[in-house]
Amino acid sequence: MYLALLCAVNQAYGQRERATVIRESNFGILHEVPFLDSLWYFHPGEFPGDKLAATNTVGWDTLHNTVFGKSNAPRRWLGMGWFGLWIRADTGLVNRKLSLRINHDGASEIFVDGKPVGGYGRVGHSALQMQAIRAPGELIPVWFADTRPHLICIRYSNFIGVYPNFLGFQFWIGDYAKRAPIAIANRHLLDYLPMFAAAQLILGLLHFLFFLFYPRQKLNAYYALFVLLIGINGFAVYQYYLTPYPSIQYAAEFSTCVFKVLIMWSAVVLLYVLNYRSVAKWRMAALTGVALLYLAGYSFRFWVLRVNNWDDYFSVAYFVCMMDGLWSVGQVIKRGQKDAWLIGIGVGMVILVYFFAWADVFGIWPYELNSMRLFVMGAGSLILPLCLSLYLALDFARTNQNLTVKLQEVENLSARALAQEAEKTELIATEARRLEQIVQLRTAELKEQADKLLELDAVKSRFFTNITHEFKTPLTLIMNPAKELLYSPDRDKNKNLKLIISNAERLLQLINQLLDLSKVENGLMEVNLAPVDLVALVNLHIFSCESLALQKGITLHFNADRDAFWILADRDKMDKIILNMLSNALKFTDEGKVEVLLRSNEGANNSAFSLTVSDTGKGIPAAKLPYIFTRFYQADPSDTRSAEGTGIGLALTKELVELMDGQILAESSEGMFTKIRIDIPYQVAEAVAETAAEALPDKAFMPMADAVEMVVADEGSPLILLIEDHHELREFIRQSLAGRYRLITAPDGEAGIALGLQHIPNLVITDLMMPRVSGYEVSETLKKDEKTSHIPVIILTAKADLDSRIQGIETGADAYLAKPFDQRELLALIENLITIREQLRLHYSTRDLWLKNTITLPSIEQDFIARIRLAVESHLDEEGYSADQLAADIGLSRTQLHRKLKGLIGQAPGELIRIVRLQYAHDLLERRVATVSEVAYMVGFGSPASFSASFSRHFGFAPSKVVEA
């Protein structure tokens, strides 16, 4: 026992001998000494027996750094322990007031030689028991009465660990008398931060109110956002340095990181708006992308990784973005915008403040001047807001001054205008008096002339009465025999016979093509060779197509390498090949050029000729080009294809070319050109004399001129719009209807829609498959437009399957007539639809049902009637409100409105306005809102007398009867 006691005494004496000596020369310019890496002693947990103080460090572990984290914590550290430090004061510091300062995120109790001298927070054995308080700027006074070793013990706990790499503490001993003024001065500098922030918030709110007052100046809104963010960030910085709670400090540090990103974003956007007014999308996307990247990174750092230091290179991003904003300011200055240099100075100062104060990129601020750095940062952040406020104030002042000048100019112009108006009024009055005298003279002259004209008119009337009686007998004898001839079976005999023969030949051609395909497929087609001049044959077919090419605006050109080319060939098959190639080129070319090239290639062993037909038409898509020689294949099978076809011609051409040991090739580019070439071997033949029949084409294409409009004698007949791309069928229907109805015709759906909207017909007959716009689209377009939604639509088509019929009805068509149709069926259907529409008009015009109950009408017609009524009711008190004004309010021409209303409810616009006025007046009288005279003026009548007369004619009783009832 004696030996153990001796060892303990020696150990304690050795620890005292290793005490750190404090000298005044150690304090330096901060007047304090840090003990961050001095020799410390550590005892985990509490002392045995709940001892609350220590006077020695026997058995304690040694420690050389009290700033530790989870990764480098002292051995056996579980969140609580005792830390001891032996010190000796130099003779110059004996009985001198010294200071102890500690910075931590936990709780501490400080003892000197076993006596408590201070501490912060509440030390506990768990996170629930302890209270973490930080006070890095507070000083604890202490005195040392001698130079012997003294033990400073710190009872410390930190179970929370807000900063995972700072679980320990920092400890300083300084000269209290010199350190206290420095702490007070630092605190005063930090107290300026909330004042700076408050000033920025006031500026931000002020300009936000400016924006609410004048929203067109969006610069105020972006400026308010920028300044408010700076102000809020100022409060966050203040909390980071002075809050006693570590968790709040951690949140404040995260907030400052977030706000510096948002401040950068808002500053650059503000400068963009100043320069561009409307910011380019790519600039905004790039800037916002950088900001979102950093916001996500800071969130990940603080709330997932929870690390203090992280090289994020934000200063580089800040510099690039702000320099882009500074470039925008330079553009504004370059354009000569007044006072824009103020913003340039502000942006430049903000960049300097960030790099030299906020981020301290160059490390020019030592620790002892940190408070001064924060002061400079807070004050510097006011520079750009102040510059912007000054710029906006000057801009507002200039605007106000310009408005004052403009107002003065307007007043001067108004004065001059009033003087000129008075002068004009006097001139007009003088001229009016002169004109009144002239009118009186002219009236007297006209009255005298009118009397003479009345006498002359009476003489003419007697003359026409006598001569009319003399004409009636011979006219009767002429008209009756003419009517008998008109309605005889031979009416239009020659014209109808030509139409029948023309279409029969077309059907025969299709049948012959199908038979030829069948013969080739069964191997029954034979080649009958005979001498043929190929140049002359091609010329014949080109001549037959010239009129069609001329009609479509196509230049047709033929080029051969010789004047005559006699070969042994099958004339009939060559006719079909050449005709199919030419007809396809012309069919699919609207305007442009068709070239035909004939070339012979004579060789030693075999000779062949090539015939090429190229056009500048719509072309064939590359994906469909390999299939154009397939039977019945069509590159465009839609209802809106530009030309008719069966898909037989090119298939037959290929079979015939191959039958004569030749080949056919196709080349095309969509929208550019199409080229068909055949190569066929041949034998030279001797020239023979051609017969007259062979020298002429079988049939030349002679198109008939399209009749745009045909007006019958009776202007009251229903107007029918006929839309049919087939010329002959269009002419046949036109002739069939011409005696009964007025007609306008269109060759395609696009033109038909335009004519329908322009003329508002009583009925529309449309083909289904047409160029550009199909019959479905015609029906849907007309039914959805309020001008034409009431018009019945008949669709004519060869597609008579159930799905096609249903699709036609779904687009709004009223009837679906399949081809071939009976002329009588078409006439009966037209008459039936027009009669039904007339009955509907009569139904709604009777007792003005359109004004009271339109529930059975389609929704688009209900909306149209509602708009009409609203337009009239909004002008009820205007006596001069006319049909022209109503048409303008609805957005239609007067003619369109008249035809629409007559077709829908059987009333003209003027009659409709009168009925709405009278019905509204009836309602007012029933409710006894006013007297009869007052109601008359309220509904737009010029006098009560005219109102009473109109009311009585319409309702059958006087308005006073409504009041008395």
Side-chain angles (χ1 to χ4, degrees):
M1 179 180 292
Y2 176 76
L3 181 60
L5 182 59
L6 181 62
C7 290
V9 171
N10 289 334
Q11 184 179 6
Y13 179 77
Q15 292 174 343
R16 289 171 181 266
E17 287 299 321
R18 286 189 285 175
T20 304
V21 179
I22 305 174
R23 297 180 176 85
E24 186 174 3
S25 59
N26 298 135
F27 288 156
I29 61 174
L30 296 179
H31 305 289
E32 64 180 1
V33 178
F35 291 88
L36 305 180
D37 55 355
S38 301
L39 178 60
W40 287 80
Y41 296 92
F42 170 68
H43 183 282
E46 296 284 16
F47 292 129
D50 296 330
K51 185 178 179 181
L52 295 179
T55 56
N56 65 75
T57 55
V58 177
W60 291 24
D61 297 334
T62 59
L63 183 67
H64 287 279
N65 191 358
T66 59
V67 181
F68 57 83
K70 289 184 178 180
S71 60
N72 61 341
R75 189 170 58 89
R76 296 185 295 166
W77 165 262
L78 297 176
M80 178 182 177
W82 286 78
F83 295 84
L85 174 67
W86 288 96
I87 63 170
R88 284 194 306 113
D90 190 30
T91 54
L93 299 178
V94 173
N95 292 324
R96 189 168 174 178
K97 189 177 182 180
L98 302 178
S99 63
L100 303 181
R101 190 164 67 92
I102 188 170
N103 177 34
H104 56 62
D105 288 343
S108 63
E109 295 175 359
I110 304 175
F111 300 85
V112 176
D113 294 331
K115 297 178 180 180
V117 295
Y120 303 100
R122 183 176 65 247
V123 179
H125 298 88
S126 66
L128 295 176
Q129 293 179 356
M130 68 169 286
Q131 180 184 11
I133 295 294
R134 57 184 300 275
E138 300 296 328
L139 302 179
I140 299 174
V142 67
W143 291 266
F144 294 107
D146 51 44
T147 60
R148 67 182 179 85
H150 296 274
L151 177 61
I152 298 177
C153 286
I154 301 175
R155 182 173 178 243
Y156 179 72
S157 65
N158 188 351
F159 290 95
I160 299 175
V162 175
Y163 290 93
N165 59 346
F166 184 54
L167 299 178
F169 57 87
Q170 297 169 309
F171 188 75
W172 297 268
I173 298 178
D175 186 344
Y176 192 94
K178 296 180 179 179
R179 182 64 194 171
I182 295 176
I184 294 172
N186 289 339
R187 179 59 184 264
H188 286 168
L189 288 174
L190 290 176
D191 286 340
Y192 280 104
L193 290 179
M195 289 191 292
F196 294 147
Q200 290 153 352
L201 290 178
I202 292 172
L203 280 174
L205 291 175
L206 178 63
H207 282 273
F208 181 69
L209 292 176
F210 287 161
F211 169 71
L212 294 180
F213 178 74
Y214 187 55
R216 291 186 61 185
Q217 181 60 280
K218 293 184 174 58
L219 194 62
N220 278 319
Y222 290 105
Y223 171 78
L225 175 63
F226 169 65
V227 179
L228 288 172
L229 289 173
I230 294 179
I232 298 172
N233 180 69
F235 283 111
V237 172
Y238 182 76
Q239 286 295 320
Y240 174 75
Y241 283 98
L242 293 182
T243 180
Y245 304 105
S247 57
I248 295 179
Q249 182 194 30
Y250 191 79
E253 183 181 6
F254 171 72
S255 299
T256 58
C257 291
V258 170
F259 280 117
K260 73 180 181 182
V261 176
L262 295 177
I263 290 169
M264 177 196 72
W265 179 87
S266 61
V268 178
V269 171
L270 172 63
L271 299 177
Y272 282 165
V273 173
L274 178 68
N275 183 22
Y276 303 109
R277 298 296 178 186
S278 178
V279 185
K281 291 183 179 180
W282 71 267
R283 284 183 176 272
M284 182 62 76
L287 179 64
T288 304
V290 172
L292 292 176
L293 180 65
Y294 273 101
L295 290 176
Y298 285 133
S299 299
F300 185 73
R301 166 191 164 185
F302 278 89
W303 305 113
V304 179
L305 299 180
R306 300 184 73 88
V307 297
N308 284 356
N309 299 319
W310 190 9
D311 293 331
D312 55 11
Y313 301 102
F314 179 76
S315 296
V316 177
Y318 183 88
F319 178 78
V320 172
C321 293
M322 290 303 292
M323 288 306 293
D324 188 38
L326 189 60
W327 180 85
S328 296
V329 176
Q331 293 296 310
V332 176
I333 297 173
K334 186 177 179 181
R335 288 199 301 266
Q337 189 163 335
K338 292 184 177 180
D339 303 318
W341 57 269
L342 286 169
I343 302 176
I345 292 175
V347 174
M349 292 302 298
V350 163
I351 296 174
L352 294 177
V353 167
Y354 175 80
F355 282 98
F356 288 97
W358 189 344
D360 193 16
V361 174
F362 306 104
I364 63 175
W365 296 92
Y367 175 77
E368 61 271 15
L369 295 178
N370 187 56
S371 297
M372 180 59 70
R373 178 183 70 85
L374 296 175
F375 175 82
V376 171
M377 182 187 77
S381 61
L382 277 171
I383 296 176
L384 181 56
L386 290 175
C387 290
L388 281 167
S389 295
L390 184 58
Y391 168 78
L392 292 173
L394 292 173
D395 184 65
F396 179 79
R398 281 193 300 273
T399 303
N400 189 44
Q401 184 179 6
N402 293 334
L403 287 175
T404 303
V405 173
K406 294 294 183 183
L407 182 61
Q408 186 62 41
E409 292 178 357
V410 170
E411 290 177 354
N412 295 335
L413 289 173
S414 298
R416 287 198 296 270
L418 288 174
Q420 293 174 358
E421 188 66 25
E423 184 179 354
K424 288 180 180 179
T425 302
E426 180 62 27
L427 291 173
I428 291 172
T430 303
E431 185 67 18
R433 288 190 294 270
R434 189 180 67 84
L435 290 174
E436 186 177 359
Q437 295 174 355
I438 295 174
V439 168
Q440 291 175 353
L441 293 174
R442 293 290 185 271
T443 302
E445 294 176 358
L446 289 173
K447 187 176 184 304
E448 183 181 356
Q449 294 175 1
D451 293 339
K452 293 180 178 179
L453 289 173
L454 285 174
E455 183 181 356
L456 181 61
D457 188 59
V459 174
K460 289 181 179 179
S461 296
R462 289 192 296 272
F463 171 75
F464 281 117
T465 300
N466 295 332
I467 200 168
T468 300
H469 178 74
E470 295 296 328
F471 279 163
K472 280 186 177 180
T473 300
L475 279 174
T476 302
L477 294 175
I478 292 172
M479 288 176 63
N480 283 292
K483 286 181 180 179
E484 292 181 8
L485 290 174
L486 179 66
Y487 295 107
S488 67
D490 292 334
R491 179 172 59 93
D492 290 337
K493 179 178 180 181
N494 292 336
K495 185 183 295 183
N496 289 333
L497 284 175
K498 289 180 181 178
L499 184 63
I500 292 169
I501 292 171
S502 172
N503 283 275
E505 287 178 349
R506 184 181 176 194
L507 288 174
L508 180 62
Q509 181 183 10
L510 291 173
I511 293 170
N512 287 336
Q513 286 182 345
L514 289 171
L515 290 174
D516 288 342
L517 280 174
S518 177
K519 287 181 180 180
V520 172
E521 185 177 15
N522 295 322
L524 301 177
M525 179 73 75
E526 296 180 355
V527 178
N528 300 315
L529 298 178
V532 174
D533 184 359
L534 195 57
V535 174
L537 184 63
V538 174
N539 268 321
L540 290 177
H541 286 289
I542 288 178
F543 173 75
S544 70
C545 297
E546 280 183 349
S547 58
L548 175 60
L550 183 63
Q551 182 190 21
K552 299 186 70 174
I554 299 172
T555 302
L556 189 58
H557 181 68
F558 172 53
N559 181 272
D561 59 356
R562 57 182 70 187
D563 296 333
F565 187 28
W566 287 92
I567 62 172
L568 291 176
D570 190 321
R571 168 66 183 267
D572 178 64
K573 296 175 179 55
M574 288 305 302
D575 278 337
K576 293 174 181 176
I577 291 171
I578 296 170
L579 183 61
N580 273 318
M581 292 173 68
L582 279 174
S583 63
N584 270 285
L586 294 170
K587 185 187 301 180
F588 297 103
T589 303
D590 292 331
E591 289 182 357
K593 179 173 61 175
V594 174
E595 290 190 23
V596 182
L597 299 177
L598 178 61
R599 296 288 184 268
S600 61
N601 180 19
E602 298 179 357
N605 297 325
N606 54 1
S607 299
F609 70 86
S610 65
L611 180 65
T612 305
V613 178
S614 59
D615 64 72
T616 58
K618 61 187 294 185
I620 304 170
K624 298 181 178 181
L625 188 61
Y627 307 104
I628 63 172
F629 298 114
T630 304
R631 295 180 188 179
F632 312 115
Y633 179 79
Q634 293 177 312
D636 182 9
S638 67
D639 294 341
T640 58
R641 59 180 182 266
S642 61
E644 296 180 342
T646 58
I648 298 174
L650 286 179
L652 177 61
T653 301
K654 180 176 182 294
E655 298 287 355
L656 294 177
V657 169
E658 291 178 350
L659 182 66
M660 292 186 287
D661 299 324
Q663 61 177 355
I664 185 168
L665 302 172
E667 182 182 353
S668 182
S669 177
E670 189 173 6
M672 299 291 291
F673 72 93
T674 300
K675 183 185 294 184
I676 305 293
R677 193 186 79 190
I678 61 172
D679 295 307
I680 300 177
Y682 71 91
Q683 298 177 17
V684 178
E686 294 294 331
V688 297
E690 285 188 288
T691 63
E694 292 174 338
L696 294 173
D698 293 339
K699 174 181 160 184
F701 181 86
M702 296 296 290
M704 297 176 65
D706 188 27
V708 175
E709 181 173 2
M710 177 176 179
V711 182
V712 297
D714 187 3
E715 289 292 337
S717 300
L719 178 64
I720 294 180
L721 169 60
L722 173 61
I723 309 171
E724 170 63 60
D725 63 323
H726 192 283
H727 176 80
E728 293 179 341
L729 180 58
R730 184 168 70 248
E731 284 298 305
F732 174 74
I733 298 175
R734 184 181 66 83
Q735 294 169 16
S736 300
L737 303 180
R740 297 175 175 87
Y741 307 102
R742 292 181 298 142
L743 285 166
I744 50 176
T745 62
D748 57 62
E750 190 173 12
I753 292 174
L755 288 174
L757 295 176
Q758 178 184 357
H759 295 282
I760 319 294
N762 297 96
L763 184 135
V764 175
I765 304 173
T766 177
D767 191 16
L768 175 60
M769 300 170 63
M770 295 181 294
R772 300 186 184 91
V773 178
S774 69
Y776 293 144
E777 296 174 80
V778 170
S779 175
E780 186 175 9
T781 303
L782 295 179
K783 288 295 185 179
K784 287 185 177 179
D785 195 301
E786 64 179 15
K787 302 188 195 76
T788 54
S789 56
H790 66 285
I791 300 174
V793 177
I794 300 175
I795 295 181
L796 305 177
T797 181
K799 298 173 69 174
D801 58 283
L802 180 61
D803 291 339
S804 298
R805 286 175 172 270
I806 292 174
Q807 185 178 355
I809 299 301
E810 287 176 347
T811 60
D814 297 85
Y816 198 92
L817 193 58
K819 297 177 183 178
F821 57 86
D822 191 294
Q823 178 183 358
R824 294 171 300 170
E825 182 182 4
L826 175 60
L827 293 173
L829 189 58
I830 293 172
E831 186 66 28
N832 187 40
L833 288 175
I834 292 178
T835 301
I836 291 173
R837 174 54 62 179
E838 182 63 28
Q839 291 173 352
L840 189 62
R841 283 198 300 270
L842 291 174
H843 171 73
Y844 277 101
S845 62
T846 304
R847 299 186 302 278
D848 303 325
L849 288 179
W850 62 268
L851 191 61
K852 304 171 185 176
N853 182 17
T854 59
I855 193 170
T856 58
L857 287 175
S859 59
I860 189 171
E861 309 297 2
Q862 295 181 32
D863 294 341
F864 179 75
I865 293 297
R867 287 179 58 211
I868 290 284
R869 182 170 181 173
L870 179 63
V872 175
E873 290 179 352
S874 62
H875 298 277
L876 274 178
D877 57 347
E878 299 179 17
E879 181 181 358
Y881 189 72
S882 63
D884 288 333
Q885 292 172 293
L886 176 60
D889 291 341
I890 298 301
L892 303 176
S893 69
R894 178 171 181 172
T895 302
Q896 289 174 332
L897 179 63
H898 179 83
R899 292 194 60 81
K900 172 71 179 182
L901 290 177
K902 291 294 286 185
L904 182 61
I905 60 175
Q907 291 180 349
E911 184 181 2
L912 179 142
I913 294 173
R914 182 181 62 82
I915 291 174
V916 173
R917 293 183 190 274
L918 293 174
Q919 185 62 47
Y920 196 81
H922 186 278
D923 295 341
L924 292 176
L925 292 172
E926 273 190 336
R927 291 184 282 130
R928 291 176 171 81
V929 173
T931 65
V932 173
S933 298
E934 291 171 338
V935 168
Y937 292 115
M938 290 170 64
V939 296
F941 280 85
S943 66
S946 62
F947 167 70
S948 298
S950 298
F951 193 95
S952 300
R953 282 196 302 271
H954 183 72
F955 290 106
F957 50 84
S960 58
K961 299 295 183 180
V962 181
V963 179
E964 295 171 0

